[in-house]
Amino acid sequence: MSVPPGAEPTLWELHRAVSQLREDLCGDLAQLAARLDQVVTQDVYRADQRAVDQRISQIEAGLAGLRGEHDQGLERAEQQRREDQAQAAATRRLVLSSFVAPLLLMAVQLWVVSRGSSP
């Protein structure tokens, strides 16, 4: 139904338009209220940020401690490796000397015996 130009709207049409505006406004306000329910205050946000910062600091401190322990473990392993190498070298020298010394003594005895004993 078209309204001729210059014709005034009826009271019923005005009522219907105002009712429609009111429903639209109520719906928009409900949506806005729902979105505002999800918003936090600055105090809550700051408290949450402080808690997150504190957790990160604790994690960093724990990580630094683990790094220190890891470095100490590497140093101990390197020291142990050096000690093992020194022990292995000492063992090789001992084994070599325990076989070479008797052989040399036996060779000297054989040489002395082979020369014979002359009075």
Side-chain angles (χ1 to χ4, degrees):
M1 161 196 276
S2 66
V3 178
E8 297 276 332
T10 63
L11 289 177
W12 180 250
E13 291 172 343
L14 285 175
H15 173 67
R16 214 173 40 185
V18 169
S19 294
Q20 183 64 38
L21 283 172
R22 184 174 180 199
E23 288 175 14
D24 290 344
L25 184 62
C26 286
D28 292 343
L29 288 176
Q31 288 177 352
L32 182 61
R35 288 182 62 196
L36 286 176
D37 286 343
Q38 296 174 356
V39 175
V40 296
T41 63
Q42 285 185 348
D43 295 337
V44 172
Y45 177 76
R46 286 185 188 133
D48 185 52
Q49 285 302 108
R50 282 193 301 271
V52 168
D53 290 342
Q54 191 176 32
R55 284 186 56 211
I56 289 173
S57 297
Q58 290 173 350
I59 290 171
E60 287 174 345
L63 183 59
L66 288 175
R67 279 188 187 144
E69 290 176 13
H70 178 70
D71 292 343
Q72 288 177 355
L74 288 177
E75 290 174 12
R76 282 192 302 265
E78 181 65 24
Q79 180 66 26
Q80 184 65 39
R81 186 184 64 80
R82 279 189 243 120
E83 289 174 3
D84 290 345
Q85 286 177 342
Q87 182 67 31
T91 303
R92 281 191 300 270
R93 283 191 302 272
L94 180 64
V95 167
L96 185 61
S97 64
S98 68
F99 285 119
V100 171
L103 288 176
L104 284 175
L105 287 174
M106 188 171 56
V108 168
Q109 285 177 349
L110 286 175
W111 181 69
V112 168
V113 169
S114 69
R115 291 206 47 178
S117 60
S118 47

